[in-house]
Amino acid sequence: MLIYEFQAKEFLKPLGVTIPEGQLVTTPAEALQAARVLATPVILKAQVLAGGRGKAGGILKARTPEEAEKLAAKLLGSRLITAQTGGQGLPVFRLLVEKAVDLKREFYVALSLDRRNETLAVLVSRQGGTEIEELSVSCPELMKKIDFNPDEGLKLFQARQLAYFLQLEESQIKNFVALLQKISRFFIDHDLKLLEINPLALTEDGQLMAIDARMEFDDCSLPRHPEMSSLWDESQENDLEKEARKHGLNYIKMDGHIGCLVNGAGLAMATMDIIKHFGGRPANFLDIGGGVTEEAVSRAFEILLSDNQVMSALINVFGGIVRCDLVARGVVKAAHKILLKKPVVVRLEGTNIVEGRKILEGSGLPFTFAPDFEQAARLAVGFSEKAK
Amino acid sequence: MSILIDEKSRVLVQGLTGKEATFHAQKMLEYGTKLVAGVTPGKGGQEHLGLPVYNTVEEAVKSEEPDVSIIFVPPLAGAEAIMEAAAAGLKLVVCITEGIPVLDMLRAKSWLRKHGAGLIGPNTPGLISPGKSKVGIMPGQIHTPGPVGIISRSGTLTYEAVHQLTLHGLGQSTAVGIGGDPIVGLKFVELLELFRSDAQTEAVVLIGEIGGNAEEQAADYLKACGYPKPVLAYIAGITAPPGKRLGHAGAIIEGRQGSAQQKIDRLAEAGVIIIENPARIGEATRKVLSGNH
């Protein structure tokens, strides 16, 4: 689960991490007011759940309160498309207005899961900023990574190694070590997957300040962190994805014309792949998960077909335990409800295939029963071509 | 011969008295798996599905001498169940549970290393040596004994592959689901090594997908050791949209790796036969094996 910059900073403050003075605003008038109170120049930062905002024009400097109001009007209500959002971008409903600070040095500090080495890691760079990924490739000597594990936490000597690597002055070493100790403890206690401060800046008056902060929490751990549930923001999901999540379905909209409904992420991806193999384009990824119920199948089918771009659909359900008559019933129920007119190819494997087929073919609706995976894909692509 | 489990394997079920475990234990018994006992704290001394139930894995191990444990417990108890099995001396632990927190899995893995135990999963359908033993939730009836080893990150996509192989007259020696989570136990490399010395296995099919670097590790291993049996692979996710991501650390630490095409390229370089159409996994494998005879 991702949270906004302003929320991440709210977590960092009680840990003793200094953050810029700022105000969260949702209207241009509020931005005007905030700019007056904070005293310009101020930085307006679009609050979206993705990085790359700076390069996309989502972080702007205002020299006067009036300029702050004007820039806020431009940003609020717009969709920000960054290198990390995907083509549709994300809606901007809030801005963090912060007092501009003179920065002497900018570092990069991140705590993350290192999946390959199966460990936690602290990664720091002597130079922070937006070009950090390119820098990690062109100047790897600027970066240092130290592994740690959740049982032992980050050791003081490890924090010191990183502090000296950053070439901090002796007076700042202790502060940096304390900061790292606090945020690594926070990371472990709250089941984070990522905590990134970029830049962690040294201000002109010698303070270590988190100019930007990102946090990602492990979704699987949320049941043991009830205090986190109120932080999730639905506005960053599109409507279909939101609806799907409510029913335990995993739905991601894409831009093709063949809707897919499958049980299992791997099989769902393979279904999208085989559609492409035969010249079609999938309209979505949809995994209905393991515990397939008639209701879930029905909802999934409705969600699938509420995407207007869908010209034909392919249902590919391979169940061991799943009964094909159950799947057929769920699909037919939804199809009647939405007055299905578009062609739907159905491929089922599992118990009661004969009953399942009977239900589909007897429904009077445009279902075509496919004998195998490849035929199912060919038929679905064929229908989609015809519909165009 | 098959790998990891066979007709002699004695299986313990952790969480036996729960609904999911009960359903699947019943299916395992029907398949012929040698279930020997279950563990549910608080239900020790009872009988369930004709099996003795113990309060702790330690007691169950002492009394019943299982070789492998299969875990059906809720996600927040999952890592501890793995640790308990490892601490009790079990050398193979199969964890079906989905949704175990990542940090818990890091903790569990260090326990596994400390006790020299191997883990299959979590978030896996388990493993099956057809005709001998099923330690998992996969549909037994689509499997048949034969010469093909399968190592898969997927659930239902594995069933699809097995189904095709069986239809093409190619049975399976052992089919292993390594699990879909970011942190799992035994992966492609360790299992390829086991299949290498298994007389029953004549070819190995890998089923991978985007994310992580298990396939890349497999490619490096295969290149280095000159693997003596044909290896085929289907990698799902060519069409997967690039994930919305946040932050740079992941990209910096892992490099720009993990795409399906990159995995395919690395495996192909290592001599793996790449299957492009997921409906032709069975056909491709049959072509390779008949070419060898």
Coordinates of all heavy atoms in Angstrom, one line a residue, chain A residues 2 50-51 84-85 108 113-116 118 120 123 132-133 136 150-151 188 194 196 214 218 220 224 254 263-264 266-267 270 272-274 276 278 318 320-321 347 349 373-374, chain B residues 23-24 99 101-104 106-107 109 139 154 156-157 159-160 163 182 184 187 212-213 234 236-239 244-249 251-254 256 277-280:
Chain A
L2 N 0.6 2.1 -1.0 CA 1.4 3.3 -1.1 C 0.7 4.4 -0.3 O -0.6 4.5 -0.2 CB 1.5 3.8 -2.5 CG 2.1 2.7 -3.5 CD1 1.9 3.2 -4.9 CD2 3.5 2.4 -3.1
A50 N 2.6 8.2 -6.9 CA 3.7 7.8 -7.9 C 4.8 8.7 -7.8 O 4.6 9.9 -7.4 CB 3.1 7.7 -9.3
G51 N 6.0 8.3 -8.3 CA 7.1 9.2 -8.3 C 7.3 9.8 -9.6 O 6.4 9.7 -10.5
Q84 N 6.2 7.1 -13.9 CA 5.9 6.0 -13.0 C 4.4 5.8 -12.9 O 3.9 4.9 -12.2 CB 6.5 6.2 -11.6 CG 8.0 6.1 -11.6 CD 8.6 6.3 -10.3 OE1 7.9 6.1 -9.3 NE2 9.8 6.8 -10.2
T85 N 3.6 6.6 -13.6 CA 2.1 6.4 -13.4 C 1.4 5.6 -14.5 O 0.3 5.1 -14.3 CB 1.4 7.8 -13.5 OG1 1.6 8.4 -14.7 CG2 1.8 8.7 -12.4
Y108 N 20.7 10.9 -0.9 CA 19.6 10.0 -1.2 C 19.7 8.9 -0.1 O 20.8 8.4 0.2 CB 19.7 9.3 -2.5 CG 18.8 8.2 -2.8 CD1 17.5 8.5 -3.4 CD2 19.1 6.9 -2.5 CE1 16.6 7.4 -3.6 CE2 18.2 5.9 -2.8 CZ 17.0 6.1 -3.3 OH 16.1 5.1 -3.6
L113 N 13.3 -3.6 0.6 CA 13.5 -5.0 0.5 C 14.4 -5.3 -0.7 O 14.2 -4.8 -1.7 CB 12.1 -5.7 0.3 CG 12.2 -7.2 0.0 CD1 12.6 -8.0 1.2 CD2 10.8 -7.7 -0.6
D114 N 15.5 -6.1 -0.5 CA 16.3 -6.5 -1.6 C 15.8 -8.0 -1.8 O 16.2 -8.9 -1.2 CB 17.8 -6.5 -1.2 CG 18.7 -7.0 -2.3 OD1 18.2 -7.7 -3.2 OD2 19.9 -6.8 -2.2
R115 N 15.0 -8.1 -2.8 CA 14.3 -9.3 -3.1 C 15.3 -10.4 -3.5 O 15.2 -11.6 -3.2 CB 13.3 -9.1 -4.2 CG 12.4 -10.3 -4.5 CD 11.4 -9.9 -5.5 NE 10.7 -11.0 -6.1 CZ 9.7 -11.0 -6.9 NH1 9.1 -9.8 -7.1 NH2 9.2 -12.1 -7.4
R116 N 16.3 -10.0 -4.3 CA 17.2 -10.9 -4.9 C 18.1 -11.6 -3.8 O 18.3 -12.8 -3.8 CB 18.1 -10.2 -5.9 CG 18.9 -11.2 -6.7 CD 20.0 -10.5 -7.6 NE 19.4 -9.3 -8.2 CZ 20.1 -8.7 -9.2 NH1 21.3 -9.1 -9.5 NH2 19.6 -7.6 -9.7
E118 N 17.3 -11.5 -0.6 CA 16.4 -11.9 0.5 C 16.8 -11.2 1.8 O 17.0 -11.9 2.8 CB 16.3 -13.4 0.6 CG 15.7 -14.0 -0.7 CD 15.4 -15.5 -0.6 OE1 16.0 -16.1 0.2 OE2 14.6 -15.9 -1.5
L120 N 16.9 -7.1 4.0 CA 16.6 -5.7 3.9 C 17.9 -4.9 3.6 O 19.0 -5.4 3.9 CB 16.0 -5.2 5.3 CG 14.7 -5.9 5.7 CD1 14.2 -5.3 7.0 CD2 13.6 -5.6 4.6
L123 N 20.2 2.0 1.4 CA 20.9 2.4 0.2 C 21.1 3.9 0.3 O 20.1 4.6 0.6 CB 20.1 2.1 -1.0 CG 20.7 2.4 -2.4 CD1 21.9 1.6 -2.7 CD2 19.7 2.1 -3.5
I132 N 18.6 10.1 -9.8 CA 19.3 9.1 -8.9 C 19.5 7.8 -9.6 O 20.5 7.1 -9.5 CB 18.5 9.0 -7.6 CG1 19.4 8.1 -6.6 CG2 17.2 8.4 -7.8 CD1 20.6 8.8 -6.1
E133 N 18.5 7.4 -10.4 CA 18.6 6.1 -11.1 C 19.7 6.1 -12.1 O 20.5 5.1 -12.2 CB 17.3 5.6 -11.7 CG 16.3 5.0 -10.8 CD 15.0 4.7 -11.4 OE1 15.0 4.0 -12.4 OE2 14.0 5.0 -10.8
S136 N 23.0 6.0 -10.4 CA 23.4 4.7 -9.8 C 24.1 3.9 -10.9 O 24.9 3.0 -10.5 CB 22.2 4.0 -9.3 OG 21.4 3.5 -10.3
P150 N 15.4 -8.1 9.7 CA 14.4 -7.6 10.6 C 14.6 -8.1 12.0 O 14.1 -7.4 13.0 CB 13.1 -8.2 10.0 CG 13.5 -9.3 9.1 CD 14.9 -9.0 8.6
D151 N 15.3 -9.2 12.3 CA 15.5 -9.6 13.6 C 16.5 -8.8 14.4 O 16.3 -8.4 15.6 CB 16.0 -11.1 13.7 CG 14.8 -12.0 13.2 OD1 13.7 -11.8 13.6 OD2 15.1 -13.0 12.6
I188 N 10.8 -1.7 10.3 CA 10.6 -3.0 10.7 C 9.3 -3.1 11.5 O 8.5 -4.1 11.3 CB 11.8 -3.5 11.6 CG1 13.0 -3.6 10.7 CG2 11.4 -4.8 12.3 CD1 14.3 -3.8 11.5
L194 N 9.2 -0.2 1.4 CA 10.1 0.9 1.0 C 9.9 2.1 1.8 O 8.8 2.5 2.1 CB 9.7 1.2 -0.5 CG 10.5 2.4 -1.1 CD1 11.9 2.1 -1.3 CD2 9.8 2.9 -2.4
E196 N 11.7 5.9 1.4 CA 12.7 6.6 0.6 C 12.7 8.1 0.9 O 11.6 8.7 0.9 CB 12.4 6.4 -0.9 CG 13.5 6.9 -1.8 CD 13.1 6.5 -3.3 OE1 12.2 7.1 -3.8 OE2 13.7 5.6 -3.8
R214 N 8.8 9.0 0.7 CA 7.9 8.0 0.2 C 7.9 6.8 1.1 O 8.9 6.4 1.6 CB 8.4 7.6 -1.2 CG 8.2 8.6 -2.2 CD 8.7 8.2 -3.6 NE 8.8 9.3 -4.4 CZ 9.7 9.4 -5.4 NH1 10.4 8.3 -5.7 NH2 9.8 10.4 -6.1
D218 N 3.6 -3.2 3.3 CA 3.3 -4.5 2.8 C 1.8 -4.8 3.0 O 1.4 -4.9 4.1 CB 4.2 -5.5 3.6 CG 3.9 -7.0 3.2 OD1 3.2 -7.2 2.2 OD2 4.5 -7.8 3.8
C220 N 0.2 -7.4 2.8 CA -0.1 -8.6 3.6 C -0.1 -8.4 5.1 O -0.6 -9.2 5.8 CB 0.9 -9.7 3.2 SG 0.8 -10.3 1.5
R224 N -2.4 -6.7 10.6 CA -1.9 -6.5 11.9 C -1.5 -5.0 12.2 O -0.9 -4.7 13.2 CB -0.7 -7.4 12.2 CG 0.5 -7.2 11.3 CD 1.6 -8.3 11.8 NE 2.8 -8.2 11.0 CZ 3.5 -9.3 10.8 NH1 3.2 -10.5 11.3 NH2 4.6 -9.1 10.0
M254 N -6.5 -2.4 -19.3 CA -5.5 -2.1 -20.3 C -6.3 -1.5 -21.5 O -7.4 -1.0 -21.4 CB -4.8 -3.4 -20.7 CG -4.0 -3.9 -19.6 SD -3.5 -5.6 -19.7 CE -2.4 -5.6 -21.1
N263 N -9.0 -17.6 -13.8 CA -8.6 -17.8 -12.4 C -7.2 -18.2 -12.2 O -6.7 -19.2 -12.7 CB -9.5 -19.0 -11.8 CG -9.3 -20.3 -12.4 OD1 -9.0 -20.4 -13.6 ND2 -9.3 -21.4 -11.6
G264 N -6.4 -17.3 -11.5 CA -5.0 -17.5 -11.3 C -4.2 -16.4 -12.1 O -4.5 -16.2 -13.3
G266 N -1.0 -16.3 -13.1 CA -0.2 -16.9 -14.2 C -1.0 -17.2 -15.4 O -0.6 -16.9 -16.5
L267 N -2.1 -17.9 -15.2 CA -3.0 -18.3 -16.3 C -3.6 -17.0 -16.9 O -3.8 -17.0 -18.1 CB -4.0 -19.3 -15.8 CG -4.9 -19.9 -16.9 CD1 -4.0 -20.7 -17.8 CD2 -6.0 -20.8 -16.3
A270 N -1.0 -15.6 -19.1 CA -0.8 -16.5 -20.2 C -2.0 -16.3 -21.2 O -1.8 -16.3 -22.4 CB -0.8 -17.9 -19.8
M272 N -3.6 -13.4 -21.7 CA -3.3 -12.2 -22.4 C -2.3 -12.4 -23.4 O -2.4 -11.9 -24.5 CB -2.9 -11.1 -21.4 CG -4.0 -10.6 -20.5 SD -3.5 -9.6 -19.0 CE -1.9 -9.0 -19.4
D273 N -1.3 -13.2 -23.1 CA -0.2 -13.5 -24.0 C -0.7 -14.2 -25.2 O -0.3 -13.9 -26.4 CB 0.9 -14.3 -23.3 CG 1.7 -13.6 -22.2 OD1 1.5 -12.4 -22.1 OD2 2.4 -14.2 -21.5
I274 N -1.5 -15.2 -25.0 CA -1.9 -16.0 -26.2 C -2.9 -15.2 -27.1 O -2.9 -15.3 -28.3 CB -2.6 -17.3 -25.8 CG1 -2.6 -18.3 -27.0 CG2 -4.0 -17.1 -25.2 CD1 -3.2 -19.7 -26.6
K276 N -2.5 -12.0 -27.6 CA -1.5 -11.2 -28.4 C -0.9 -12.1 -29.5 O -0.7 -11.6 -30.6 CB -0.5 -10.6 -27.5 CG 0.5 -9.8 -28.3 CD 1.4 -8.9 -27.4 CE 2.4 -8.1 -28.2 NZ 3.8 -8.4 -27.9
F278 N -2.1 -14.4 -31.2 CA -3.0 -14.6 -32.3 C -3.5 -13.2 -32.9 O -4.5 -13.2 -33.6 CB -4.2 -15.5 -32.0 CG -3.7 -16.9 -31.9 CD1 -3.7 -17.6 -30.6 CD2 -3.3 -17.6 -33.0 CE1 -3.3 -18.9 -30.5 CE2 -2.8 -18.9 -32.9 CZ -2.8 -19.6 -31.6
F318 N -9.7 -22.7 -15.2 CA -9.2 -24.0 -15.0 C -9.3 -24.3 -13.6 O -8.5 -23.8 -12.8 CB -7.7 -24.1 -15.5 CG -7.3 -25.6 -15.7 CD1 -6.8 -26.0 -17.0 CD2 -7.3 -26.5 -14.7 CE1 -6.4 -27.3 -17.2 CE2 -6.9 -27.8 -14.9 CZ -6.5 -28.2 -16.2
G320 N -9.6 -27.1 -10.3 CA -9.5 -28.5 -9.9 C -10.7 -28.8 -9.1 O -11.5 -29.7 -9.3
I321 N -10.9 -27.9 -8.1 CA -12.0 -28.0 -7.2 C -13.3 -27.3 -7.8 O -14.4 -27.7 -7.6 CB -11.7 -27.3 -5.9 CG1 -10.4 -27.9 -5.4 CG2 -12.8 -27.5 -4.9 CD1 -9.6 -26.9 -4.6
R347 N -13.9 -21.1 -22.0 CA -13.2 -22.4 -22.0 C -13.1 -22.8 -20.5 O -12.7 -22.0 -19.7 CB -11.8 -22.1 -22.6 CG -10.9 -23.4 -22.6 CD -10.2 -23.6 -21.3 NE -9.4 -24.9 -21.4 CZ -8.1 -24.9 -21.1 NH1 -7.5 -23.9 -20.7 NH2 -7.5 -26.1 -21.2
E349 N -12.2 -26.0 -17.7 CA -11.7 -27.3 -17.3 C -12.0 -27.5 -15.9 O -11.9 -26.6 -15.1 CB -10.2 -27.3 -17.5 CG -9.7 -27.4 -19.0 CD -10.0 -28.7 -19.7 OE1 -10.4 -29.7 -19.0 OE2 -10.1 -28.7 -20.9
F373 N -7.6 -24.3 -24.9 CA -7.0 -23.0 -24.7 C -6.7 -22.3 -26.0 O -7.1 -21.1 -26.2 CB -5.7 -23.2 -23.9 CG -5.1 -22.0 -23.3 CD1 -5.8 -20.8 -23.2 CD2 -3.8 -22.0 -22.7 CE1 -5.2 -19.7 -22.6 CE2 -3.2 -20.9 -22.1 CZ -3.9 -19.8 -22.1
E374 N -6.1 -23.0 -27.0 CA -5.8 -22.3 -28.2 C -7.0 -21.9 -29.0 O -7.1 -20.8 -29.5 CB -4.8 -23.2 -29.1 CG -4.5 -22.5 -30.4 CD -3.3 -23.1 -31.0 OE1 -2.3 -23.4 -30.3 OE2 -3.3 -23.2 -32.3
Chain B
F23 N -10.6 -30.2 3.9 CA -11.0 -30.5 2.6 C -9.9 -31.1 1.8 O -10.0 -32.1 1.1 CB -11.5 -29.2 1.9 CG -11.9 -29.4 0.5 CD1 -13.2 -29.8 0.2 CD2 -11.1 -29.2 -0.6 CE1 -13.6 -29.9 -1.2 CE2 -11.4 -29.3 -1.9 CZ -12.7 -29.7 -2.2
H24 N -8.7 -30.5 1.8 CA -7.6 -30.9 1.0 C -6.9 -32.2 1.6 O -6.4 -33.0 0.8 CB -6.6 -29.8 0.8 CG -7.1 -28.7 0.0 ND1 -7.3 -28.9 -1.4 CD2 -7.5 -27.4 0.2 CE1 -7.8 -27.8 -1.9 NE2 -8.0 -26.9 -1.0
G99 N -0.4 -14.8 1.4 CA -0.5 -13.5 2.1 C 0.3 -13.4 3.4 O 0.1 -12.6 4.2
P101 N 3.2 -11.9 5.5 CA 3.9 -10.7 5.3 C 5.4 -11.0 5.0 O 6.0 -11.9 5.4 CB 3.8 -10.1 6.7 CG 2.6 -10.6 7.3 CD 2.4 -12.0 6.7
V102 N 5.9 -10.1 4.1 CA 7.3 -10.2 3.6 C 8.3 -10.3 4.7 O 9.2 -11.2 4.7 CB 7.6 -9.1 2.7 CG1 9.1 -9.1 2.3 CG2 6.7 -9.1 1.4
L103 N 8.3 -9.4 5.7 CA 9.3 -9.5 6.8 C 9.2 -10.8 7.5 O 10.2 -11.3 8.0 CB 9.1 -8.3 7.7 CG 9.4 -6.9 7.2 CD1 9.5 -5.9 8.3 CD2 10.7 -6.9 6.4
D104 N 8.0 -11.3 7.7 CA 7.9 -12.6 8.3 C 8.6 -13.7 7.5 O 9.2 -14.6 8.1 CB 6.4 -13.0 8.4 CG 5.7 -12.3 9.6 OD1 6.3 -11.5 10.3 OD2 4.5 -12.6 9.8
L106 N 11.2 -13.3 5.6 CA 12.6 -13.1 5.8 C 13.0 -13.8 7.1 O 14.1 -14.5 7.2 CB 13.0 -11.6 5.9 CG 12.9 -10.8 4.6 CD1 13.4 -9.4 4.8 CD2 13.7 -11.5 3.4
R107 N 12.2 -13.6 8.2 CA 12.5 -14.3 9.4 C 12.4 -15.8 9.3 O 13.3 -16.5 9.8 CB 11.5 -13.8 10.5 CG 11.6 -12.3 10.8 CD 10.6 -11.9 11.8 NE 10.7 -10.4 12.1 CZ 9.9 -9.5 11.8 NH1 8.8 -9.8 11.1 NH2 10.1 -8.2 12.1
K109 N 12.9 -17.6 6.7 CA 14.0 -18.2 5.9 C 15.3 -18.3 6.7 O 16.1 -19.3 6.5 CB 14.3 -17.3 4.7 CG 13.1 -17.5 3.7 CD 13.6 -17.5 2.2 CE 14.3 -18.7 1.9 NZ 14.7 -18.7 0.4
P139 N -5.4 -30.6 -8.6 CA -6.3 -31.7 -9.0 C -5.5 -32.9 -9.4 O -4.9 -32.9 -10.4 CB -7.1 -31.1 -10.2 CG -6.3 -30.0 -10.7 CD -5.4 -29.5 -9.6
S154 N 3.5 -20.7 -10.8 CA 2.1 -20.4 -11.0 C 1.2 -21.5 -10.3 O 1.7 -22.5 -9.9 CB 1.8 -20.3 -12.4 OG 0.7 -19.5 -12.7
T156 N -2.8 -22.2 -11.4 CA -3.6 -22.8 -12.4 C -2.9 -22.9 -13.8 O -3.2 -23.8 -14.6 CB -4.9 -22.0 -12.7 OG1 -4.6 -20.6 -12.8 CG2 -5.9 -22.1 -11.5
L157 N -1.9 -22.1 -14.0 CA -1.1 -22.2 -15.2 C -0.3 -23.5 -15.2 O -0.1 -24.2 -16.3 CB -0.2 -21.0 -15.4 CG 0.7 -21.0 -16.7 CD1 -0.1 -21.2 -17.9 CD2 1.5 -19.7 -16.7
Y159 N -1.5 -26.3 -13.9 CA -2.5 -27.3 -14.2 C -2.7 -27.4 -15.7 O -2.9 -28.4 -16.3 CB -3.9 -27.0 -13.5 CG -3.9 -26.8 -12.1 CD1 -5.0 -26.2 -11.4 CD2 -2.8 -27.1 -11.2 CE1 -5.0 -26.0 -10.1 CE2 -2.8 -26.8 -9.9 CZ -3.9 -26.3 -9.3 OH -3.9 -26.0 -8.0
E160 N -2.7 -26.2 -16.3 CA -2.9 -26.1 -17.8 C -1.7 -26.9 -18.4 O -1.9 -27.7 -19.4 CB -2.9 -24.6 -18.2 CG -2.9 -24.4 -19.7 CD -4.1 -24.9 -20.4 OE1 -5.2 -24.6 -19.8 OE2 -4.1 -25.5 -21.4
H163 N -2.1 -30.7 -17.8 CA -3.2 -31.1 -18.6 C -2.8 -31.4 -20.1 O -3.0 -32.4 -20.6 CB -4.3 -30.1 -18.6 CG -5.5 -30.3 -19.4 ND1 -6.4 -31.3 -19.2 CD2 -5.9 -29.7 -20.6 CE1 -7.4 -31.2 -20.1 NE2 -7.1 -30.3 -21.0
P182 N 7.1 -12.8 -3.4 CA 8.5 -12.3 -3.6 C 9.6 -13.1 -2.9 O 10.7 -13.3 -3.4 CB 8.4 -10.9 -3.1 CG 7.1 -10.7 -2.5 CD 6.2 -11.8 -2.8
V184 N 10.3 -16.8 -1.5 CA 9.9 -18.2 -1.4 C 11.1 -19.0 -1.1 O 12.2 -18.6 -0.9 CB 9.3 -18.7 -2.8 CG1 8.0 -17.9 -3.1 CG2 10.3 -18.5 -3.9
K187 N 13.8 -22.7 -5.3 CA 13.4 -22.1 -6.6 C 13.9 -23.0 -7.7 O 14.2 -24.2 -7.6 CB 13.9 -20.7 -6.7 CG 13.2 -19.8 -5.6 CD 13.5 -18.3 -5.9 CE 14.8 -17.8 -5.4 NZ 14.9 -17.8 -3.9
G212 N 11.0 -10.5 -10.0 CA 12.1 -11.2 -9.4 C 13.2 -11.7 -10.4 O 13.2 -11.3 -11.5
N213 N 14.1 -12.5 -9.9 CA 15.1 -13.0 -10.8 C 15.4 -14.5 -10.8 O 16.5 -15.0 -11.1 CB 16.4 -12.2 -10.6 CG 17.1 -12.7 -9.3 OD1 16.5 -13.1 -8.4 ND2 18.4 -12.6 -9.4
Y234 N 8.2 -21.7 -20.5 CA 7.2 -20.7 -20.9 C 7.2 -19.6 -19.8 O 7.1 -19.9 -18.6 CB 5.8 -21.3 -21.1 CG 4.7 -20.2 -21.2 CD1 4.7 -19.4 -22.3 CD2 3.9 -19.9 -20.2 CE1 3.8 -18.4 -22.4 CE2 3.0 -18.9 -20.3 CZ 3.0 -18.1 -21.4 OH 2.1 -17.1 -21.5
A236 N 5.3 -16.3 -18.6 CA 4.1 -15.6 -18.7 C 4.3 -14.1 -18.5 O 5.2 -13.7 -17.6 CB 3.0 -16.1 -17.8
G237 N 3.6 -13.2 -19.2 CA 3.7 -11.8 -18.9 C 4.3 -11.0 -20.0 O 4.6 -9.8 -19.7
I238 N 4.4 -11.5 -21.2 CA 4.9 -10.6 -22.3 C 4.0 -9.4 -22.5 O 4.5 -8.3 -22.8 CB 4.9 -11.5 -23.6 CG1 6.2 -12.4 -23.6 CG2 5.0 -10.6 -24.8 CD1 7.4 -11.7 -24.0
T239 N 2.7 -9.6 -22.2 CA 1.8 -8.5 -22.4 C 1.5 -7.7 -21.2 O 0.7 -6.8 -21.1 CB 0.4 -9.0 -23.0 OG1 0.1 -10.2 -22.2 CG2 0.5 -9.3 -24.4
K244 N 2.9 0.2 -12.2 CA 3.0 1.5 -11.6 C 3.9 1.4 -10.5 O 3.7 0.5 -9.6 CB 1.7 2.0 -11.1 CG 0.7 2.3 -12.2 CD -0.5 3.1 -11.5 CE -1.8 2.9 -12.4 NZ -2.9 2.6 -11.6
R245 N 5.0 2.1 -10.4 CA 5.9 2.0 -9.3 C 6.1 3.3 -8.6 O 5.8 4.3 -9.0 CB 7.2 1.3 -9.7 CG 7.9 2.1 -10.7 CD 9.2 1.3 -11.1 NE 10.0 2.2 -12.0 CZ 10.9 3.0 -11.6 NH1 11.2 3.1 -10.3 NH2 11.6 3.8 -12.4
L246 N 6.6 3.1 -7.4 CA 6.9 4.3 -6.6 C 8.4 4.2 -6.1 O 8.7 3.1 -5.6 CB 6.0 4.4 -5.4 CG 6.1 5.6 -4.5 CD1 5.4 6.8 -5.2 CD2 5.5 5.4 -3.2
G247 N 9.1 5.2 -6.2 CA 10.5 5.1 -5.7 C 11.5 4.5 -6.6 O 11.2 3.8 -7.6
H248 N 12.7 4.8 -6.3 CA 13.8 4.4 -7.1 C 14.6 3.2 -6.6 O 15.3 2.5 -7.3 CB 14.8 5.5 -7.3 CG 14.1 6.8 -7.8 ND1 13.8 6.9 -9.2 CD2 13.8 7.9 -7.2 CE1 13.2 8.1 -9.3 NE2 13.2 8.7 -8.2
A249 N 14.5 2.9 -5.3 CA 15.3 1.9 -4.7 C 15.2 0.6 -5.3 O 16.3 -0.1 -5.6 CB 15.0 1.8 -3.2
A251 N 14.4 -0.2 -8.4 CA 15.1 -0.2 -9.7 C 16.6 -0.1 -9.6 O 17.3 -0.7 -10.3 CB 14.6 1.0 -10.5
I252 N 17.0 0.6 -8.6 CA 18.5 0.7 -8.4 C 19.1 -0.6 -7.9 O 20.1 -1.1 -8.4 CB 18.8 1.8 -7.3 CG1 18.4 3.2 -7.9 CG2 20.3 1.8 -7.0 CD1 18.5 4.3 -6.9
I253 N 18.4 -1.2 -6.9 CA 18.9 -2.4 -6.3 C 18.8 -3.6 -7.3 O 19.7 -4.4 -7.4 CB 18.1 -2.8 -5.0 CG1 18.5 -1.8 -3.9 CG2 18.5 -4.2 -4.5 CD1 17.7 -2.0 -2.6
E254 N 17.7 -3.7 -8.0 CA 17.5 -4.8 -8.8 C 17.9 -4.6 -10.3 O 17.9 -5.5 -11.1 CB 16.1 -5.3 -8.8 CG 15.7 -5.7 -7.4 CD 14.3 -6.4 -7.2 OE1 13.8 -6.8 -8.3 OE2 13.8 -6.5 -6.1
R256 N 17.2 -2.9 -14.1 CA 16.0 -2.9 -14.8 C 15.7 -4.3 -15.3 O 15.7 -4.6 -16.4 CB 16.1 -1.9 -16.0 CG 16.1 -0.5 -15.5 CD 16.0 0.5 -16.6 NE 16.2 1.8 -16.0 CZ 15.3 2.5 -15.4 NH1 14.1 2.1 -15.3 NH2 15.5 3.7 -14.9
N277 N 3.8 -20.1 -27.3 CA 2.3 -20.2 -27.2 C 2.0 -21.1 -26.0 O 2.3 -22.3 -26.0 CB 1.8 -20.8 -28.5 CG 0.3 -21.0 -28.5 OD1 -0.3 -21.0 -27.4 ND2 -0.3 -21.3 -29.7
P278 N 1.4 -20.6 -25.0 CA 1.1 -21.3 -23.8 C 0.2 -22.5 -24.0 O 0.0 -23.4 -23.1 CB 0.5 -20.3 -22.8 CG 0.0 -19.2 -23.6 CD 0.8 -19.2 -24.8
A279 N -0.5 -22.6 -25.1 CA -1.4 -23.7 -25.4 C -0.6 -24.8 -26.1 O -1.1 -25.9 -26.3 CB -2.5 -23.3 -26.4
R280 N 0.7 -24.6 -26.3 CA 1.5 -25.6 -27.0 C 2.7 -26.2 -26.1 O 3.7 -26.6 -26.6 CB 2.1 -25.0 -28.3 CG 1.1 -24.5 -29.2 CD 0.8 -25.4 -30.3 NE -0.3 -24.9 -31.2 CZ -0.3 -25.0 -32.5 NH1 0.7 -25.6 -33.1 NH2 -1.4 -24.5 -33.2

